[in-house]
Amino acid sequence: MFAKLTSARSLLAAAGLALSCLFGAAAPTAASAAIPYLQLNASEPKYAAIVIDANSGEVLYDKRADSPRYPASVTKVMTLYLTFEALSEGRLKLTDRVVMSPRAAAQAPTKIGLAPGDSLSVDEAIKAMTVKSANDVAVAMAERLAGSESRFAALMTLRGQELGMRNSRFVNASGLPDSRQISSARDLAILSRATMRDFPQYYSYFSVKGFYFRGNYIKGHNRLLDSMDGFDGLKTGYTTASGFNLAGSAVRDGRRLIAVVLGGPSTAWRDNNMEDLLLTGFDVMKRRSRGERTTIAANIYEDEPSGPVERPSVEQGDGDQAGLRIVLTENPRTPAPVKVSPTLRGAQEAAKSAQKATKKPKGEWGVQVGAFKSKSLANDQLKLVRGRFAKAVADAEAAVEGAGGTFRAQFQGLTSEAARDACSALKAKRMPCMVLSPR
């Protein structure tokens, strides 16, 4: 049904057990060994892209959206997702200190450049990742949250699976080159949408254009924040192997779109392509609202990039880390699926069986009317909405979905029309609402 995390108490307990097994002393090595080297076809274009409606999740455009690609520093969106999760659960505070280990300090540029033993606040660390794309800070944050980067990367992969990122696996927190670290345009769009949906209170970090750190002003890489009206995030990335990547989002006329562009040959080409996709997407949405049937693909000139990738200075993107294996081949193999702990997989299958045994709802759509730090607050919101908007949600089933310390108040089992009508009624009264589409 919806893109959601299961809330069953037994499943969460099983997942916790699985993670504890995964994070055992020998677990990172075993987990890494289970992830094959990706072999990209040298003759296949690097370029891939997708545009989705942030509200409904509808895919408006895709080009090789499921093809495996190197995410580069767009990886840090997942690092930040887990950071925001820790903040929302109270395991981390913005004033806490993140200490730079010798391993973190040794990361390749771009970086903040703190010495081992020095530290920065969590607030500064988040800005260092979103604005500077600091690899040393990403590793330090991973060590702060999970004890080691390898353990944190295992958690990144598991959380990605829970979010629906079917073609992604992570082995580092920064996005520095490693051919085992792969994703896709679709998966990165799913991650971007989940980040703004689950942690709206922290999303504004992605729109920070620059910040002062110890007397020096650090300017960001995301030029569209200055040049495109309504553009407010998320993250750039670059390595020679990946090309120029960007996960971005913009708002126009009350509509939000998310786009991912991977494998651009230059920052200018990538940024222009991102802007073209988003502007065309907004135009298509407006024309559809007037009853016109059209698509982004029918209205955009698909200029396939060609030629070598322009290598920037390290201040414009991520540097390449020497000594890491990047495989290009004329005979690519399909990567094997990421292995999931038997304990966790058994819990997932049990949860699915339990869901099948319950009464099927009337529709496959739903609406989310808020996200809260406690289940009781989520239930209070459901009661409030049920009381004030009884007609709009009369045929829906109230549910609270728990994920990462956040409890989402939802009405499930609606048709697509009923879900959209319900959100229209709530938003007209300045109430929060988001349509949940079927998977």
Side-chain angles (χ1 to χ4, degrees):
M1 257 181 77
F2 316 129
K4 62 184 180 180
L5 303 180
T6 180
S7 60
R9 192 180 300 271
S10 59
L11 177 56
L12 288 175
L17 177 60
L19 283 173
S20 66
C21 294
L22 185 62
F23 290 168
T29 302
S32 299
I35 302 174
Y37 277 99
L38 170 69
Q39 294 185 323
L40 293 181
N41 191 332
S43 62
E44 182 180 2
K46 295 178 186 288
Y47 177 70
I50 192 169
V51 181
I52 67 171
D53 181 343
N55 189 40
S56 67
E58 177 189 1
V59 176
L60 303 174
Y61 175 86
D62 70 274
K63 183 85 170 182
R64 306 186 191 95
D66 294 306
S67 297
R69 293 291 185 270
Y70 300 123
S73 258
V74 183
T75 294
K76 293 186 179 76
V77 178
M78 177 58 86
T79 301
L80 287 157
Y81 183 96
L82 294 177
T83 301
F84 298 155
E85 185 177 75
L87 285 167
S88 69
E89 293 175 349
R91 293 186 286 113
L92 200 64
K93 297 178 182 177
L94 289 174
T95 54
D96 287 347
R97 307 299 294 181
V98 180
V99 179
M100 197 67 55
S101 69
R103 186 177 184 279
Q107 297 301 302
T110 55
K111 59 198 294 184
I112 285 292
L114 294 180
D118 203 346
S119 68
L120 71 172
S121 70
V122 170
D123 175 69
E124 291 171 329
I126 294 171
K127 291 174 182 174
M129 286 187 277
T130 58
V131 176
K132 177 71 171 176
S133 197
N135 297 318
D136 51 352
V137 175
V139 174
M141 181 62 76
E143 293 170 342
R144 176 71 169 76
L145 292 174
S148 71
E149 186 181 20
S150 59
R151 292 178 178 180
F152 186 78
L155 179 57
M156 293 167 74
T157 298
L158 183 58
R159 183 66 80 248
Q161 290 178 328
E162 292 173 339
L163 292 173
M165 299 171 66
R166 305 186 187 284
N167 296 310
S168 297
R169 61 212 65 191
F170 299 96
V171 294
N172 67 50
S174 65
L176 280 168
D178 191 312
S179 58
R180 298 168 298 169
Q181 181 137 312
I182 61 171
S183 191
S184 68
R186 189 184 309 277
D187 280 6
L188 294 173
I190 289 171
L191 173 60
S192 299
R193 183 177 182 232
T195 301
M196 60 180 67
R197 177 196 68 206
D198 296 344
F199 308 109
Q201 67 272 40
Y202 301 119
Y203 178 69
S204 61
Y205 274 109
F206 291 106
S207 63
V208 176
K209 300 176 183 178
F211 71 106
Y212 282 95
F213 182 70
R214 299 189 179 180
N216 296 315
Y217 183 73
I218 298 175
K219 184 174 174 57
H221 305 144
N222 199 338
R223 299 171 182 175
L224 286 179
L225 290 172
D226 291 312
S227 62
M228 182 180 175
D229 290 340
F231 189 91
D232 58 9
L234 299 159
K235 187 73 189 72
T236 62
Y238 163 82
T239 66
T240 299
S242 72
F244 290 87
N245 298 343
L246 176 59
S249 182
V251 177
R252 290 278 178 94
D253 300 322
R255 298 183 177 95
R256 176 178 288 280
L257 298 182
I258 297 168
V260 176
V261 172
L262 304 178
S266 67
T267 54
W269 193 98
R270 175 199 66 192
D271 292 350
N272 289 338
N273 184 240
M274 170 67 69
E275 188 168 9
D276 286 346
L277 288 171
L278 288 172
L279 291 178
T280 305
F282 287 123
D283 181 62
V284 165
M285 296 288 281
K286 183 181 295 185
R287 290 159 63 183
R288 281 186 179 183
S289 69
R290 298 195 297 260
E292 187 175 344
R293 299 180 65 182
T294 187
T295 65
I296 292 178
N299 289 275
I300 195 169
Y301 175 63
E302 294 186 313
D303 180 22
E304 190 77 25
S306 61
V309 172
E310 297 177 10
R311 184 181 178 90
S313 71
V314 294
E315 291 306 313
Q316 293 178 290
D318 303 324
D320 284 320
Q321 190 175 33
L324 289 179
R325 177 182 173 207
I326 300 296
V327 179
L328 296 175
T329 178
E330 297 297 338
N331 299 298
R333 296 177 301 174
T334 301
V338 178
K339 293 184 177 180
V340 180
S341 162
T343 305
L344 179 57
R345 187 174 297 282
Q348 290 172 335
E349 291 174 354
K352 289 179 181 178
S353 298
Q355 289 174 354
K356 290 179 180 179
T358 61
K359 182 180 178 180
K360 296 277 185 180
K362 295 180 180 180
E364 295 186 333
W365 292 67
V367 295
Q368 183 167 305
V369 295
F372 304 88
K373 291 185 177 181
S374 72
K375 190 173 183 179
S376 62
L377 289 175
N379 279 318
D380 288 344
Q381 178 74 348
L382 290 172
K383 292 176 183 177
L384 174 65
V385 173
R386 179 77 82 182
R388 291 183 59 185
F389 302 90
K391 185 177 179 180
V393 296
D395 298 327
E397 297 178 0
V400 175
E401 297 294 338
T406 299
F407 296 88
R408 304 167 189 159
Q410 299 177 352
F411 288 97
Q412 303 173 358
L414 294 168
T415 64
S416 60
E417 183 179 3
R420 292 191 175 98
D421 287 347
C423 268
S424 295
L426 267 70
K427 289 179 178 179
K429 297 296 184 181
R430 300 184 180 275
M431 294 285 289
C433 188
M434 180 176 68
V435 174
L436 302 174
S437 61
R439 291 188 62 177

